[in-house]
Amino acid sequence: MEMSYRLSAIGYLLFLSLISACGRGGPASSDGPYDLILKGGWIIDGSGNPRYRGDVGMRGDRIVAVGFLGTSAARETLDVRGLVVAPGFIDMMGQSEINALIDNRVLSKVTQGITTEVTGEGGSGRAAHRPAGGRRLGMR
């Protein structure tokens, strides 16, 4: 009995420390000024939770705040009401290996919101080709 009491007391203390470490929820931190604020868009954060309306604050190429930014200052503010704001999409069946070697910006992907691409999963990627002086890898 005493052992389970100690474990539950430790569990209770861990629970309290985790709760106190979490934010209070509500508005996002408005440490501003931001370089860019995307205001009023539908935010899809990739967590599997439903979309929600909010703002995204950016400094340089980094997202630094997500939530309700109110009247925070920014060099540029874009009204994105009615649009979806997402951190990027993953193309799980990408076949841009050669295109990426020709132009590593891969603008055809980036302009569609794709920020990560998995390549070579079908065996037809660059790894399937014969290296100089070596035996053929991948598909036969």
Side-chain angles (χ1 to χ4, degrees):
M1 286 281 232
E2 190 174 332
M3 178 76 150
S4 65
Y5 174 77
R6 285 184 192 158
L7 288 177
S8 63
I10 291 171
Y12 180 71
L13 288 174
L14 285 173
F15 174 74
L16 286 177
S17 65
L18 285 174
I19 293 298
S20 65
C22 294
R24 292 185 312 223
S29 171
S30 55
D31 296 333
Y34 302 103
D35 293 331
L36 173 67
I37 292 179
L38 304 174
K39 197 142 202 67
W42 286 108
I43 297 172
I44 299 176
D45 61 12
S47 67
N49 292 327
R51 68 183 184 168
Y52 58 95
R53 191 172 300 281
D55 309 326
V56 176
M58 298 180 67
R59 283 193 201 104
D61 62 353
R62 303 283 182 201
I63 296 172
V64 294
V66 176
F68 179 71
L69 298 178
T71 58
S72 295
R75 288 189 306 153
E76 184 177 4
T77 300
L78 296 177
D79 182 358
V80 295
R81 283 180 291 184
L83 300 176
V84 170
V85 180
F89 299 98
I90 300 171
D91 184 352
M92 293 299 295
M93 293 293 287
Q95 297 178 356
S96 302
E97 296 91 353
I98 294 175
N99 293 337
L101 293 174
I102 294 169
D103 180 3
N104 66 358
R105 297 174 300 167
V106 195
L107 293 177
S108 64
K109 298 290 184 165
V110 174
T111 56
Q112 298 176 66
I114 297 169
T115 57
T116 304
E117 181 173 349
V118 177
T119 63
E121 66 284 334
S124 62
R126 297 301 304 156
H129 295 276
R130 184 175 316 182
R135 66 178 187 70
R136 186 176 171 94
L137 303 172
M139 291 175 41
R140 295 180 189 196

